Amino acid sequence: MTVDHDPRMRLGPLWIEPRVVIYATLIQMTAYALFDVPDVPLAIDGFNVLIWVAVVPMFALAVAHAFSEVLDLQIRLQRRMSWADVLVILHSNVQFLYVSLIPVILLSLGWVLGVNQKTAVNFVLYLGVISLAGWGGYGARRAGLRPWTCLLFGAAYACLGALVVVLEILIRH
């Protein structure tokens, strides 16, 4: 992979790598699509379970990627890891956990508003599809494409994200 410029974007104090956030969003959506959500009000027990569904897969991804990157770096550099190396890898992989913040916020709002669990999870999934549409449009804009083409790319990313969720639901049933 060649890089002509830094693909990260700054969001306040956070640096976001689009590839990490897009990948994590798809995994997050898959976790919620596969979770069998009861059609009951979002009480504290259901809220806690849905928070675990948000955080645990993202934590597992962060750890798995960090482990893989450590091994890759040691093999490529043929040396032990330095603290600077470890900090770069930790900073890079904590981004997976950023993705879990959005469902936590949405579920908190759903709990306060008293929606049912299915509605809350569907809202998380819809926002994931909208997020993917935004990333598709952003990528097209960064590639210098025309506004109409950016909208098409956004729609294509949204459709692909929805397709992933639908496939996971079909596999589950």
Side-chain angles (χ1 to χ4, degrees), residues 4-170:
D4 293 332
H5 67 283
D6 189 351
R8 297 176 304 165
M9 59 187 292
R10 189 173 183 133
L11 184 63
L14 306 175
W15 285 96
I16 307 284
E17 289 183 59
R19 69 177 181 82
V20 171
V21 174
I22 292 165
Y23 174 62
T25 299
L26 285 167
I27 297 300
Q28 183 81 85
M29 291 170 63
T30 300
Y32 277 109
L34 291 176
F35 185 69
D36 192 17
V37 183
D39 196 9
V40 297
L42 185 57
I44 189 68
D45 291 340
F47 174 77
N48 288 335
V49 168
L50 292 175
I51 295 301
W52 278 102
V53 173
V55 175
V56 170
M58 296 301 100
F59 181 76
L61 275 175
V63 170
H65 278 261
F67 178 70
S68 172
E69 289 173 27
V70 164
L71 287 174
D72 177 64
L73 196 58
Q74 286 178 318
I75 291 166
R76 281 190 295 119
L77 298 178
Q78 298 179 0
R79 65 171 172 80
R80 294 180 67 187
M81 300 291 297
S82 69
W83 277 109
D85 297 330
V86 170
L87 288 176
V88 168
I89 289 171
L90 287 175
H91 181 264
S92 173
N93 288 290
V94 76
Q95 293 178 77
F96 287 104
L97 295 174
Y98 297 166
V99 173
S100 66
L101 295 176
I102 302 301
V104 167
I105 292 167
L106 292 175
L107 292 168
S108 298
L109 289 173
W111 182 40
V112 169
L113 296 174
V115 302
N116 72 19
Q117 288 186 36
K118 278 196 182 290
T119 301
V121 167
N122 286 338
F123 192 68
V124 168
L125 291 172
Y126 297 145
L127 192 62
V129 170
I130 292 167
S131 168
L132 294 173
W135 283 111
Y138 174 75
R141 185 174 59 92
R142 289 293 301 257
L145 301 178
R146 291 184 226 165
W148 181 250
T149 309
C150 292
L151 289 174
L152 289 175
F153 268 73
Y157 267 64
C159 288
L160 287 172
L163 178 64
V164 168
V165 172
V166 167
L167 289 174
E168 294 295 342
I169 290 170
L170 290 174

